Amino acid sequence: MVEIVGVGFMKAGKTYYFDPKGEKYELGDMVIVETARGMELGHILIANKNVDKSELVAELKPIERKATEKDLEKYHANLEKRDDALKVCEEKIQKHNLNMKLIDVEFMIDGAKIVFYFSADGRVDFRELAKDLAGHFHTRIELRQIGVRDEARMLGGIGICGRPLCCSKWLSDFQPVSIKMAKQQNLSLNPSKISGSCGRLMCCLNFEDKTYKELRKGMPKDNERVETPDGLAKVVKVDYFNGKINTRGIEIDPETGEEIFSQEIKAFSRDEIKRKGKKGGRNQTEEVAEPEETDDIPENITEDEARELEALMKEI
């Protein structure tokens, strides 16, 4: 077992393990640590605890010290310089005619380096820009390209649910999201309905996926034929949360063998029906296997929507 503390560096960012070197830390304590980017100010997210060595993905670095008043003053002074630094960098980007969107800037606590974050559609040759910025700020400059999800995390905003973006408030890591999740939740595959502020599939589709999988177990699908206490019926809609299946009764025309659907909609519970398959028939009583869900783009949408969905499915 190894003693660790968890340290975070940005709102809703990842938690990184560090070696406390025998010191005791409480939640919320501000600390100075060395990372790959340099000396940074972080805050304790996980107090001292022991973990198995198998949980460590890299060698533990020690915490340098608890942050002092001088460190905090330096941090706030750097924040005050943020707007001016962004303005200078934006002017330099225009000067060098680079196709990139400046997102944010971060000063290392010891002033040894400044990191500028930007997004772009492709690779950007920013070598001359970095030299120009280094000459202006007289310190090391790092230009880091980030994806659209990290851009949304840094900028923040309000989602279509009316609440702050999960990635900017509490989400520690991005997980893969697929079109299959939207299908399983009976959501419209209109890209504007299932995409977040970043332009990718909404992360909340992933949060709710397990719940929907549990609710869908044993439930029929729309248009499936089922046996109800009133006879053969067609599934019109499934209410997963209330466990109700809305159906229309089916009668078979004795002369033509065609199905005649009742106009009345009746609701039954999962235990009251017996599944018979999508096409069904009076003599078909075998169990119905769940069809395999895929991420294929549906055929019943426009070409523009299909292109948008393909773009949404790209993972950053």
Side-chain angles (χ1 to χ4, degrees), residues 25-255:
Y25 294 95
E26 302 293 335
L27 292 180
D29 283 351
M30 305 302 290
V31 293
I32 301 297
V33 296
E34 183 181 1
T35 69
R37 296 184 299 178
M39 301 301 291
E40 294 191 67
L41 176 70
H43 55 281
I44 300 295
L45 295 175
I46 301 175
N48 299 61
K49 77 169 188 176
N50 293 320
V51 299
D52 193 270
K53 284 187 177 181
S54 61
E55 295 186 35
L56 304 180
V57 296
E59 184 179 352
L60 285 180
K61 288 188 176 182
I63 290 181
E64 295 294 327
R65 64 179 186 275
K66 283 189 177 181
T68 64
E69 287 296 327
K70 187 176 180 180
D71 292 324
L72 297 177
E73 288 174 5
K74 180 67 174 176
Y75 174 75
H76 290 296
N78 287 338
L79 289 181
E80 292 177 0
K81 296 188 290 186
R82 176 181 175 275
D83 290 342
D84 288 338
L86 287 173
K87 183 179 179 180
V88 170
C89 187
E90 195 66 62
E91 291 173 352
K92 302 293 185 184
I93 289 173
Q94 294 178 10
K95 172 186 172 182
H96 292 280
N97 195 29
L98 296 175
N99 185 21
M100 54 195 287
K101 178 183 177 183
L102 185 61
I103 304 300
D104 202 359
V105 61
E106 183 180 8
F107 291 79
M108 296 298 101
I109 195 69
D110 57 359
K113 184 168 66 174
I114 303 175
V115 183
F116 291 92
Y117 298 93
F118 72 93
S119 63
D121 292 334
R123 294 181 63 87
V124 178
D125 185 356
F126 50 71
R127 288 174 293 182
E128 293 302 317
L129 172 62
K131 291 178 183 178
D132 207 350
L133 290 170
H136 184 277
F137 292 104
H138 304 290
T139 189
R140 290 177 56 201
I141 299 295
E142 180 180 340
L143 287 148
R144 179 171 296 184
Q145 186 170 356
I146 62 174
V148 291
R149 287 186 168 181
D150 287 308
E151 178 182 346
R153 165 184 281 175
M154 285 188 170
L155 296 179
I158 302 297
I160 61 174
C161 59
R163 298 179 63 83
L165 300 180
C166 296
C167 58
S168 67
K169 293 299 290 184
W170 62 269
L171 185 62
S172 61
D173 198 8
F174 293 115
Q175 298 295 325
V177 186
S178 67
I179 289 292
K180 179 174 72 174
M181 295 176 182
K183 292 179 183 177
Q184 289 178 337
Q185 295 173 35
N186 282 345
L187 295 176
S188 167
L189 295 185
N190 183 332
S192 65
K193 302 290 187 182
I194 57 176
S195 59
S197 299
C198 60
R200 296 290 182 259
L201 291 168
M202 294 188 295
C203 292
C204 55
L205 296 178
N206 183 294
F207 310 155
E208 299 166 5
D209 189 51
K210 289 183 179 179
T211 299
Y212 274 92
K213 282 182 178 178
E214 288 298 319
L215 294 174
R216 286 166 58 89
K217 286 182 179 179
M219 297 292 268
K221 298 183 178 296
D222 291 353
N223 299 321
E224 189 174 320
R225 271 50 175 177
V226 295
E227 196 71 46
T228 73
D230 295 341
L232 186 63
K234 170 187 172 182
V235 176
V236 177
K237 186 177 181 180
V238 180
D239 183 347
Y240 295 113
F241 290 101
N242 293 314
K244 296 294 182 181
I245 299 136
N246 297 319
T247 66
R248 289 185 187 275
I250 299 176
E251 292 186 6
I252 306 298
D253 189 310
E255 296 182 358

